[in-house]
Amino acid sequence: MDINQKQIDAWNSETLPIYEPGLPEVVKECRGKNLFFSTAVDDEIEKADIIFISVNTPTKTKGIGAGRAANIKNCELCARQIAKVATSNKIVVEKSTVPVRTAQAIARVLKSNDKGLSFQVLSNPEFLAEGTAIDDLFAPDRVLIGGQQTPEGLAAAEKLVSVYANWVPRERILTTNLWSSELSKLVANAFLAQRVSSINSISALCEATGADVSEISRAVGMDDRIGKRFLQSSVGFGGSCFQKDILNLVYLCETFGLEECAHYWNQVVVMNDYQKKRFSEKVVGSMFNTVTGKKIAMLGYAFKKDTGDVRETPSMFVLRDLLQEGSRMHIYDPQVTRDDMWIEMDYTCGVNHDNTPGLDESVITETDAYSACDGAHAICILTEWDEFKTLDYEKIFKSMAKPAFIFDGRNILDHAALRKIGYEVHCIGKPDPTKFTDL
């Protein structure tokens, strides 16, 4: 259900509003059978036994807690509409990522109905990852359900457990109290982002000392206590969740007077910002300290492969930095639209056509990688799309201005082979063979 007719029309069409591998097949198989898309919100509220609240909870941009606190306005609006329309008892499930104790606010709104209805509020945070969401749906690591530890709350939680138990093994369905469930989602994303920032901090040390961050990651990741996932150094993390949820966690810590905890988690974001800025500075510094008027090809704009999501993508910040330096940017991404790119640039970086004259001339979106690279002084790899690994880099080299630079922000290319072709290659956390003679 959605009040946006355009979105619902897209979900009912052959062109879905988002890109996710495997999603079109699932929608095609289930749509019109047990999967329906509609704007008839009130009718469906009245008929439903269980209602999921799955709305955006963006970081506040103004007011108290601006820049850190989550805006749960949409959650409250959903609760008010449910209370207004419902004519029977319901189970209301938070699916959105929310600050801990949001369920308390939702429950108070629902309880204020004047019809004597009873509502049970559950927390069921979403752990699907973009790019692997369908696989995560069919075989989740865990399903988390939090509810009040009362007979009614436990019964409601068990009813939701029975839904998931149709395809998820019971041992993978965890039940907790409401507050543990709400906080677990924030903590999970904070821990994942922390790992990315941790290895990225080491990447800077590797570049200074001649160590190789990939070798460090492999050595550290073989320790079972640490594990190997999320230890791939890069230009930085992006997406709609990591930064938003960490900042939310920071604000929660500040609200409860836990200043040291707030500073600790905020440093994860500080390190991520540092890594993005460090990449931009490396591009400019390596290219004789000026990129003014130079064509730079940006391969990849989504925050990671197998998605078209550009929210908080590192590419956007690199683009902003290089535009400020006067470069001519040519961008290719197989799934990102130009409109989405500008919407996020305006919302997050404040860069738009009104305040940046000549923006359309300075930023060109291309339909293939070869066009983006033709005549370029440098190539920046900013999303780890598989197709970038198999490009004909000898052909690209011949078409580029010399010296030809490659800045691999994802460490996905064969750097030795590229150097043999003639490229000057710069990576994340890798020793520069022209700088160190004892590798």
Side-chain angles (χ1 to χ4, degrees):
M1 309 305 301
D2 202 296
I3 60 174
N4 187 323
Q5 186 66 55
K6 183 180 179 181
Q7 285 288 322
I8 292 299
D9 289 344
W11 282 108
N12 280 318
S13 73
E14 295 304 310
T15 306
L16 302 185
I18 63 171
Y19 172 74
E20 180 67 39
L23 180 60
E25 292 80 4
V26 171
V27 172
K28 185 176 181 180
E29 180 181 348
C30 300
R31 190 168 52 198
K33 300 174 185 175
N34 63 342
L35 177 63
F36 303 90
F37 301 98
S38 172
T39 56
V41 176
D42 291 354
D43 292 343
E44 298 304 328
I45 287 175
E46 192 167 354
K47 291 186 287 186
D49 298 310
I50 302 176
I51 301 171
F52 288 84
I53 295 179
S54 307
V55 293
N56 289 338
T57 53
T59 302
K60 291 179 68 175
T61 57
K62 56 186 177 181
I64 298 172
R68 302 183 309 286
N71 190 338
I72 62 168
K73 175 192 74 172
N74 294 327
C75 293
E76 181 180 335
L77 290 175
C78 287
R80 290 187 180 280
Q81 192 65 16
I82 293 168
K84 176 183 175 182
V85 173
T87 57
S88 60
N89 298 341
K90 311 285 183 186
I91 297 174
V92 178
V93 185
E94 293 175 338
K95 200 66 177 171
S96 303
T97 303
V98 295
V100 63
R101 303 201 76 86
T102 297
Q104 185 178 44
I106 292 175
R108 285 190 61 188
V109 171
L110 294 171
K111 190 177 181 180
S112 67
N113 78 88
D114 58 2
K115 292 169 279 191
L117 300 179
S118 175
F119 297 92
Q120 287 299 317
V121 179
L122 302 178
S123 168
N124 176 217
E126 187 54 74
F127 292 105
L128 303 182
E130 291 184 62
T132 59
I134 298 303
D135 289 340
D136 296 340
L137 172 67
F138 289 138
D141 291 331
R142 77 289 201 195
V143 171
L144 180 59
I145 299 171
Q148 289 282 6
Q149 303 301 290
T150 62
E152 296 81 7
L154 294 172
E158 193 55 40
K159 183 169 287 189
L160 187 55
V161 166
S162 70
V163 174
Y164 282 107
N166 284 292
W167 78 95
V168 180
R170 185 60 182 84
E171 62 269 18
R172 290 186 178 271
I173 305 175
L174 311 179
T175 55
T176 67
N177 72 36
L178 265 173
W179 323 125
S180 296
S181 179
E182 287 181 331
L183 189 54
S184 289
K185 172 63 175 180
L186 297 181
V187 172
N189 279 340
F191 271 52
L192 293 174
Q194 179 195 47
R195 286 173 70 92
V196 177
S197 281
S198 293
I199 197 62
N200 279 343
S201 73
I202 300 303
S203 74
L205 183 60
C206 286
E207 291 170 30
T209 61
D212 186 324
V213 74
S214 296
E215 295 175 347
I216 301 292
S217 296
R218 186 167 67 250
V220 171
M222 290 183 71
D223 187 326
D224 287 340
R225 296 169 300 174
I226 298 172
K228 63 183 180 181
R229 299 191 66 184
F230 279 79
L231 287 181
Q232 292 73 46
S233 191
S234 70
V235 66
F237 62 75
S240 64
C241 295
F242 281 6
Q243 178 154 313
K244 176 176 74 74
D245 292 353
I246 293 173
L247 292 174
N248 192 345
L249 190 61
V250 169
Y251 183 69
L252 283 170
C253 291
E254 291 173 343
T255 300
F256 290 104
L258 306 172
E259 293 298 330
E260 290 80 6
C261 300
H263 292 320
Y264 176 85
W265 287 110
N266 190 61
Q267 193 61 34
V268 175
V269 176
V270 171
M271 180 55 61
N272 194 53
D273 291 341
Y274 166 73
Q275 187 76 346
K276 291 179 289 190
K277 192 68 175 178
R278 199 168 70 85
F279 184 88
S280 300
E281 291 173 348
K282 178 183 290 189
V283 172
V284 176
S286 300
M287 297 177 68
F288 318 114
N289 290 314
T290 179
V291 293
T292 303
K294 295 178 181 178
K295 177 179 176 178
I296 297 179
M298 181 177 285
L299 299 187
Y301 198 83
F303 84 93
K304 68 175 183 178
K305 72 173 185 177
D306 293 332
T307 181
D309 195 343
V310 298
R311 288 173 291 182
E312 294 291 343
T313 178
S315 307
M316 171 176 54
F317 298 94
V318 175
L319 174 60
R320 178 201 61 192
D321 293 344
L322 296 182
L323 279 177
Q324 290 174 348
E325 294 290 332
S327 63
R328 297 181 294 114
M329 303 300 299
H330 287 243
I331 302 172
Y332 167 68
D333 188 289
Q335 292 298 330
V336 173
T337 68
R338 188 174 179 86
D339 285 346
D340 286 345
M341 188 177 76
W342 289 136
I343 290 170
E344 182 64 14
M345 277 287 286
D346 185 20
Y347 179 78
T348 302
C349 293
V351 176
N352 56 56
H353 292 82
D354 293 332
N355 61 24
T356 311
L359 197 53
D360 283 329
E361 292 74 29
S362 299
V363 181
I364 306 297
T365 46
E366 303 282 8
T367 57
D368 65 89
Y370 294 101
S371 298
C373 297
D374 185 29
H377 290 75
I379 299 169
C380 296
I381 306 291
L382 289 173
T383 309
E384 69 278 22
W385 288 104
D386 291 336
E387 67 179 87
F388 298 156
K389 301 175 185 178
T390 58
L391 294 174
D392 186 342
Y393 284 99
E394 287 195 26
K395 172 183 174 181
I396 291 173
F397 180 77
K398 293 175 182 177
S399 74
M400 292 179 64
K402 307 298 187 298
F405 296 85
I406 287 185
F407 299 91
D408 187 356
R410 297 290 177 171
N411 287 346
I412 61 172
L413 304 182
D414 185 337
H415 304 138
L418 292 172
R419 290 188 175 106
K420 189 174 181 181
I421 292 171
Y423 288 100
E424 180 173 323
V425 182
H426 297 271
C427 327
I428 302 289
K430 302 278 188 176
D432 184 345
T434 64
K435 181 179 177 181
F436 296 96
T437 58
D438 56 353
L439 297 176

